[in-house]
């Protein structure tokens, strides 16, 4: 049994709460309320150094200095070096790896509760300020759709947050009531009425249905072949499927053409990115141009890849992609062993989300990748459980 609220764990939770709060505000127009003398990039830089100090204090306070721990630390800095090599100066992936490494000794329920509190607070405040006119609530006119961004820098982000709030809340509760499922579903529908984000809605509704039915009418997670294929190997299977679908995309095949239309051109864009950049071992610098950039400069050509697996594979290389998939396999394996139904369902829908969106590794949205901590930085209690 892990001891909760030790000094070491509190250092982590404080660092984590501060980081995801600032990282989320970076995706909102609340940053425009900062004084002219302070930019959001400055706030983010100061926050990084605060997080480095707090997590370094946690590392030395934990007094766990073994070869396996330092090997995990080497992996963290390897990913950081790759990120720096591809000229991504935001070091967001490096920060994710540092938090993964530091999370291994922290009770995951505490991490979930901090995530839920921050996500709900940022969502409610941002949407409230936008609807009251204090911060912008832009209209994204896409010809057939008029979408409001509700105070976020992209019109899908409010629904993204609601999707992960639903997953995190379910993992905390372990088993939700029909009323709770109804409230969460209604909140997603309300956001959809403003931003018309279909993907998130088409994920959150089946998630609530599957989670409610499974936890009320099943004894638990079976350790059989089907469970392992869905929850343990699901990340690898969906990654292979989604990347292959884009690599072999052919507009002349009716099924491909129809699927590409349903996915708003995602297969074509992924295929073009593979054709233009190809796969490398250690990544490459790619200037991704999303809808926000095109809105500011119509002369730019949209090339954004809305598939986490493919985007990270192209951006950071095959080695980092393999490390990510190995970590997801580890999380699924542990979720099955420990009979964590909520986490299993969340992982399954997270895999689906990663096929059609690029926010899989954005720590500000969800904490599930922090479950890799035991793989990068095993603690004595976890080793005892495995023996």
């Amino acid at each position: 049994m892990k001891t909760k609220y030790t000094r070491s764990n509190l250092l982590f939770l404080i660092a984590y709460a501060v980081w995801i709060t600032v990282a989320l505000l970076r995706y909102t127009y609340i940053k425009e309320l900062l004084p002219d003398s302070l930019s959001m990039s400055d706030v983010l830089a100061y926050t990084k150094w605060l997080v480095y100090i707090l997590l370094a204090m946690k590392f030395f306070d934990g007094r766990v200095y073994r070869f396996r721990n330092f090997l995990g630390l080497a992996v963290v800095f390897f990913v950081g070096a790759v990120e720096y090599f591809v000229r991504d100066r935001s070091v967001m992936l490096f920060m994710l790896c540092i938090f993964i490494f530091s999370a291994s000794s922290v009770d995951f329920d505490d991490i979930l509760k901090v995530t839920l509190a921050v996500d709900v607070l940022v969502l409610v405040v941002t949407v409230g300020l936008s609807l009251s006119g204090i911060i912008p609530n832009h209209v994204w006119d896409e010809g057939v759709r008029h979408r409001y961004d509700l105070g976020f820098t992209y019109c899908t982000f409010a629904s993204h947050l609601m999707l992960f709030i639903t997953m995190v809340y379910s993992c905390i509760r372990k088993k939700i009531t029909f009323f709770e499922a109804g409230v969460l579903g209604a909140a997603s529908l309300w956001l959809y009425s403003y931003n018309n984000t279909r993907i998130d809605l088409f994920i959150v509704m089946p998630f609530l249905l599957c989670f409610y039915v499974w936890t009320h009418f099943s004894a638990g997670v079976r350790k059989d072949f089907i469970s392992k294929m869905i929850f343990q190997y699901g990340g690898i299977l969906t990654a292979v499927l989604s990347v292959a679908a884009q690599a072999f995309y052919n507009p002349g095949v009716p099924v491909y053409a129809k699927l590409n239309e349903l996915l708003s051109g995602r297969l074509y864009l992924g295929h073009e990115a593979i054709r233009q950049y190809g796969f490398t071992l250690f990544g490459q610098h790619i200037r991704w141009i999303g809808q926000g950039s095109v809105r500011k400069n119509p002369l730019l050509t949209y090339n954004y890849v809305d598939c986490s697996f493919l985007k990270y594979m192209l951006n950071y290389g095959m080695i980092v992609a393999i490390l990510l998939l190995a970590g997801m396999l580890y999380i699924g394996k542990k979720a099955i062993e420990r009979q964590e139904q909520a986490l299993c369902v969340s992982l399954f829908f997270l895999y689906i989300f990663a096929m059609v969106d690029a926010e899989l590794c954005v720590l500000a949205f969800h904490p599930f990748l922090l479950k890799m901590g035991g793989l990068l930085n095993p603690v004595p209690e976890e080793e005892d459980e495995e023996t």
Side-chain angles (χ1 to χ4, degrees):
M1 174 74 82
K2 294 178 181 178
T3 304
K4 298 174 67 175
Y5 306 121
T6 63
R7 180 175 58 187
S8 176
N9 291 356
L10 283 173
L11 287 169
F12 175 89
L13 294 173
I14 292 170
Y16 176 67
V18 170
W19 176 251
I20 63 171
T21 300
V22 173
L24 275 179
L25 292 178
R26 178 171 170 259
Y27 296 119
T28 75
Y29 290 114
I30 293 176
K31 61 188 178 184
E32 295 187 358
L33 301 178
L34 292 172
D36 294 337
S37 59
L38 185 65
S39 68
M40 195 64 206
S41 59
D42 292 332
V43 175
L44 199 65
Y46 298 146
T47 305
K48 285 176 187 174
W49 284 108
L50 175 61
V51 168
Y52 292 152
I53 292 169
L54 291 174
L55 295 185
M57 291 170 62
K58 179 191 181 299
F59 177 76
F60 291 111
D61 188 68
R63 296 184 179 86
V64 179
Y65 314 123
R66 291 163 302 162
F67 176 75
R68 286 181 63 183
N69 303 96
F70 283 104
L71 184 62
L73 200 58
V75 172
V76 171
F77 281 97
F78 166 77
V79 173
V82 169
E83 188 175 32
Y84 186 82
F85 170 75
V86 301
R87 289 158 53 192
D88 184 349
R89 300 296 189 263
S90 69
V91 299
M92 289 296 177
L93 193 61
F94 178 60
M95 295 298 288
L96 169 64
C97 291
I98 289 177
F99 275 106
I100 290 174
F101 181 86
S102 303
S104 61
S105 61
V106 183
D107 191 295
F108 192 61
D109 276 350
D110 291 336
I111 296 175
L112 291 173
K113 291 170 185 175
V114 170
T115 305
L116 183 66
V118 172
D119 285 1
V120 170
L121 180 63
V122 171
L123 179 63
V124 170
V125 171
T126 303
V127 172
L129 291 176
S130 70
L131 294 180
S132 61
I134 297 174
I135 62 175
N137 182 18
H138 296 120
V139 178
W140 296 60
D141 191 346
E142 300 177 359
V144 295
R145 290 194 291 177
H146 299 277
R147 312 170 71 183
Y148 293 90
D149 58 31
L150 295 172
F152 288 86
T153 55
Y154 197 74
C155 53
T156 62
F157 284 172
S159 286
H160 283 359
L161 259 186
M162 192 62 227
L163 168 63
F164 290 117
I165 284 170
T166 300
M167 291 182 178
V168 169
Y169 181 80
S170 300
C171 287
I172 293 172
R173 293 282 289 121
K174 314 301 182 190
K175 188 175 183 179
I176 60 174
T177 64
F178 185 78
F179 174 76
E180 290 171 315
V183 170
L184 292 168
S188 292
L189 281 169
W190 183 79
L191 290 171
Y192 173 76
S193 69
Y194 279 92
N195 58 30
N196 202 356
T197 304
R198 294 170 294 194
I199 293 294
D200 290 336
L201 188 68
F202 292 162
I203 292 177
V204 77
M205 292 305 181
F207 169 86
L208 288 168
L209 177 63
C210 291
F211 180 61
Y212 178 82
V213 171
W214 194 24
T215 54
H216 282 77
F217 301 101
S218 174
V221 185
R222 295 182 179 179
K223 299 180 181 180
D224 56 14
F225 175 78
I226 295 177
S227 293
K228 289 181 179 180
M229 292 302 294
I230 295 175
F231 307 123
Q232 183 172 336
Y233 299 102
I236 297 174
L237 294 175
T238 50
V240 171
L241 178 63
S242 58
V243 173
Q246 292 168 93
F248 298 108
Y249 168 71
N250 184 348
V253 178
V255 174
Y256 263 129
K258 185 63 177 178
L259 187 58
N260 183 58
E261 181 184 349
L262 290 173
L263 294 175
S264 303
R266 283 174 168 84
L267 294 184
Y268 167 78
L269 290 166
H271 180 78
E272 286 301 298
I274 294 171
R275 185 184 63 80
Q276 182 176 355
Y277 300 108
F279 297 108
T280 63
L281 281 179
F282 301 107
Q284 58 197 305
H285 175 67
I286 300 174
R287 185 189 178 193
W288 298 113
I289 300 172
Q291 194 61 40
S293 299
V294 174
R295 279 166 60 88
K296 294 177 183 177
N297 184 359
L299 296 178
L300 295 175
T301 301
Y302 185 94
N303 74 339
Y304 200 79
V305 171
D306 269 312
C307 171
S308 294
F309 299 119
L310 179 59
K311 185 184 176 188
Y312 283 96
M313 203 172 287
L314 291 173
N315 232 146
Y316 302 113
M318 300 297 294
I319 302 299
V320 170
I322 290 171
L323 290 173
L324 173 62
L325 293 177
M328 295 180 72
L329 186 150
Y330 171 84
I331 297 171
K333 178 175 180 290
K334 290 298 180 182
I336 294 172
E337 290 176 356
R338 296 170 183 174
Q339 293 290 299
E340 298 180 79
Q341 285 177 281
L343 180 58
C344 283
V345 179
S346 296
L347 287 174
F348 174 71
F349 284 96
L350 184 64
Y351 302 151
I352 296 174
F353 175 83
M355 294 177 74
V356 293
D357 221 291
E359 273 71 50
L360 173 64
C361 293
V362 178
L363 181 59
F365 284 136
H366 69 86
F368 297 112
L369 298 185
L370 296 185
K371 291 285 282 185
M372 294 183 197
L375 182 62
L376 283 182
N377 184 25
V379 294
E381 291 86 349
E382 182 158 341
E383 289 183 349
D384 291 342
E385 290 176 6
E386 293 175 357
T387 57

